[in-house]
């Protein structure tokens, strides 16, 4: 997938932007607060109709203006597509592919997919399990519709069961429905665990070599799936996982009622990330954290390619800071497949760049 040409009107601090991108590496440079992240955000919006840092579309529209417009000429699946998005302050956004109105944002995926790495992604290594679960879920949902459906159902059941547990203090009869919810959660949960285990198996094959390459072979990344403790082989078929999940639930039934929370199930899953055998969450340095997070994101992109034959566009926001020269060189020159966008403030880093195009951004305009 390649974004060949791009236009933006009244998007964030861009009043009007038109540019032709390189099919390989595009480096976006400029001082702080000139619009580098905004440009990546605009490209990402055309792939998902959402932003990693805006809750509402109206935040993306330029101050004092009522609507914004994005247009990308994209080459994907051996064809050219024109993707457009109209954003409005008052009403819902409109999306178009080759002039035809799209009903849902999901229809964009498959035409343009992006993998974004942003400074917040360092949480992937440093924060609690929820961030890593979200990463897993996002990756697998893009590839497996059955997983997306099971996840949505699991979340619904989890909310409902939590409500039963919470309200049962006042209304004990609610507990009559508890076992039924537990069973359905275990059935959905078994599907989630099966898919997660298979995805992590692939991550374990793909991420460590990327990490070794970036770190010059000096560090070893390892990943391990952590799920419900009674599960002996998470890669097993869901029907084999089900009795093991039920066994765990049964053992925690009284405790769940006592603390009024769901204690059993894959909503507590995690990926243990280790560098040279030490938990990265506790011991990784800033550069190591960045390298590990980057390796996970790039591995997800590789897996997407293996499954679909298309490289998602890679958007790297502020990835170069805190990396030593070797790791910067890796980011700039060793990502040779697919299209990549990299933002950076320091112009002197560009001396390392061996191919691609440089864009200088100043106050929302290309100079
Ligand atoms: P840094 O190097 O600090 O990360 P950046 O170049 O990535 O900087 P951006 O995050 O792209 O900077 O933001 C550029 C400017 O856009 C900021 O000054 C911000 O206030 C402004 N901006 C954000 N949203 C809007 C909006 N809706 N309308 C107009 N300007 C906006
Ligand atoms: Mg920025």
């Amino acid at each position: 997938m390649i974004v060949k040409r791009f236009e933006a009107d009244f998007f964030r601090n861009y009043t009007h932007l038109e540019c032709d991108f390189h099919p390989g590496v595009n480096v976006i440079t400029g001082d702080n607060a000139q619009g580098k992240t905004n440009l990546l955000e605009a490209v990402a919006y055309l792939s998902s109709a959402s932003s990693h840092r805006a809750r509402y579309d109206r935040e993306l529209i330029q101050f004092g203006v009522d609507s914004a417009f994005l247009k990308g000429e994209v080459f994907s699946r051996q064809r050219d597509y024109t993707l457009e998005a109209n954003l409005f302050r008052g009403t819902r956004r409109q999306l178009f592919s080759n002039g035809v109105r799209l009903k849902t944002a999901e229809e964009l995926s498959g035409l343009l997919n992006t993998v974004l790495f942003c400074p917040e992604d360092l949480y992937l290594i440093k924060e609690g399990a929820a961030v890593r679960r979200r990463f897993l879920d996002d990756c697998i949902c893009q590839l497996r519709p059955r997983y997306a459906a099971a996840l949505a159902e699991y979340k619904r059941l989890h909310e409902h069961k939590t409500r039963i547990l919470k309200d049962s203090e006042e209304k004990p009869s609610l507990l009559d429905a508890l076992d039924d919810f537990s069973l359905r959660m275990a059935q959905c949960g078994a599907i989630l665990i099966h898919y997660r285990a298979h995805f992590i198996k692939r991550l374990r094959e793909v991420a460590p070599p990327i990490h070794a390459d970036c770190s010059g072979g000096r560090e070893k990344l390892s990943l391990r799936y952590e799920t419900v403790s009674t599960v002996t082989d998470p890669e097993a078929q869901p029907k084999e996982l089900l009795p093991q999940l039920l066994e765990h639930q049964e053992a925690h039934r009284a405790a769940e009622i006592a603390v009024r929370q769901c204690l059993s199930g894959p909503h507590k899953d995690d990926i243990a990330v280790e560098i040279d055998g030490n938990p990265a969450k506790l011991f990784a340095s800033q550069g190591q954290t960045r390298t590990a997070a980057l390796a996970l994101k790039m591995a997800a992109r590789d897996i997407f390619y293996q499954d679909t034959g298309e490289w998602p566009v890679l958007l790297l926001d502020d990835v170069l800071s805190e990396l030593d020269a070797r790791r910067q060189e890796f980011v700039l020159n060793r990502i040779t497949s697919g299209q990549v966008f990299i933002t950076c403030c320091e112009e002197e880093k560009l001396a390392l760049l061996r191919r691609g195009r440089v864009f200088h951004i100043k106050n929302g305009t290309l100079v």
Side-chain angles (χ1 to χ4, degrees):
M1 293 167 176
I2 290 164
V3 182
K4 299 198 294 192
R5 220 184 130 63
F6 194 75
E7 267 180 59
D9 291 297
F10 305 110
F11 185 92
R12 298 266 197 200
N13 68 337
Y14 290 95
T15 302
H16 179 69
L17 173 81
E18 265 184 64
C19 51
D20 293 300
F21 291 133
H22 191 272
V25 179
N26 296 270
V27 179
I28 320 287
T29 67
D31 290 340
N32 292 134
Q34 300 306 305
K36 301 183 298 298
T37 303
N38 292 348
L39 182 53
L40 298 196
E41 187 181 35
V43 173
Y45 191 92
L46 275 188
S47 72
S48 62
S50 67
S51 153
H52 67 294
R53 55 178 190 169
R55 181 122 179 246
Y56 303 105
D57 283 351
R58 59 173 181 267
E59 296 166 44
L60 305 172
I61 301 169
Q62 193 162 90
F63 302 142
V65 180
D66 283 332
S67 62
F69 174 71
L70 295 174
K71 177 173 168 181
E73 284 172 23
V74 172
F75 184 73
S76 132
R77 302 195 287 193
Q78 308 300 320
R79 285 183 54 187
D80 288 313
Y81 293 89
T82 302
L83 302 181
E84 290 162 289
N86 290 325
L87 284 69
F88 304 100
R89 228 172 250 290
T91 51
R92 200 171 145 74
R93 46 123 183 94
Q94 299 172 343
L95 306 169
F96 300 89
S97 166
N98 291 341
V100 178
R101 177 96 181 256
L102 303 179
K103 288 194 193 71
T104 64
E106 285 72 51
E107 290 177 71
L108 287 172
S109 111
L111 301 176
L112 178 61
N113 291 77
T114 52
V115 169
L116 171 77
F117 178 90
C118 60
E120 294 81 25
D121 284 321
L122 303 180
Y123 297 145
L124 206 47
I125 306 301
K126 283 289 176 180
E127 291 287 309
V131 189
R132 285 177 291 282
R133 276 198 303 276
R134 192 166 346 113
F135 166 72
L136 265 185
D137 290 343
D138 288 349
C139 292
I140 309 172
C141 282
Q142 287 204 30
L143 296 169
R144 302 277 178 261
R146 187 177 173 220
Y147 181 85
L151 181 67
E153 176 69 358
Y154 187 87
K155 284 184 172 165
R156 196 185 66 80
L157 292 166
H158 178 253
E159 261 175 44
H160 207 139
K161 183 175 160 185
T162 305
R163 218 174 319 128
I164 290 174
L165 287 165
K166 290 249 189 292
D167 295 348
S168 63
E169 187 163 23
E170 286 182 2
K171 218 174 156 208
S173 65
L174 284 174
L175 290 176
D176 296 346
L178 192 67
D179 291 336
D180 183 44
F181 274 93
S182 293
L183 173 64
R184 281 153 67 196
M185 268 177 82
Q187 287 164 335
C188 274
I191 297 172
L192 300 188
I193 291 174
H194 172 80
Y195 278 102
R196 285 178 180 173
H198 280 268
F199 186 79
I200 291 171
K201 182 181 170 200
R202 296 176 71 186
L203 265 188
R204 293 170 66 169
E205 291 160 5
V206 177
I210 296 172
H211 187 268
D213 211 0
C214 185
S215 66
R218 270 185 288 174
E219 289 161 16
K220 189 168 171 293
L221 178 77
S222 54
L223 305 169
R224 195 179 60 250
Y225 182 27
E226 292 182 339
T227 186
V228 178
S229 62
T230 48
V231 169
T232 49
D233 173 16
E235 287 171 33
Q237 289 301 320
K239 67 175 187 306
E240 292 162 48
L241 297 170
L242 180 62
Q244 300 176 350
L245 296 183
L246 292 173
E247 179 196 334
H248 191 270
Q249 273 183 348
E250 187 52 37
H252 290 77
R253 190 177 189 279
E256 286 190 331
I257 294 171
V259 300
R260 304 187 188 286
Q261 279 177 31
C262 299
L263 300 177
S264 175
H267 55 280
K268 297 188 159 293
D269 281 1
D270 198 359
I271 313 176
V273 181
E274 291 181 352
I275 298 170
D276 293 335
N278 298 315
K281 192 176 160 187
L282 302 177
F283 297 108
S285 72
Q286 283 161 301
Q288 283 179 319
T289 302
R290 205 166 277 255
T291 310
L294 183 64
L296 287 180
K297 287 270 167 135
M298 286 183 50
R301 182 173 180 254
D302 277 26
I303 293 170
F304 187 94
Y305 171 75
Q306 289 168 11
D307 269 37
T308 66
E310 295 280 348
W311 285 105
V313 174
L314 184 60
L315 306 170
L316 302 175
D317 193 16
D318 202 14
V319 72
L320 297 177
S321 47
E322 290 166 0
L323 294 183
D324 57 35
R326 176 193 155 99
R327 291 176 205 224
Q328 289 179 356
E329 212 273 332
F330 171 87
V331 172
L332 288 170
N333 298 314
R334 303 288 291 282
I335 306 172
T336 48
S337 33
Q339 191 179 33
V340 187
F341 292 78
I342 305 170
T343 68
C344 91
C345 297
E346 300 99 324
E347 307 262 327
E348 64 273 13
K349 302 247 167 86
L350 302 178
L352 292 168
L353 183 71
R354 287 201 300 267
R355 64 191 187 107
R357 188 172 297 159
V358 178
F359 298 85
H360 295 273
I361 303 287
K362 195 166 181 201
N363 200 11
T365 45
L366 204 60
V367 291

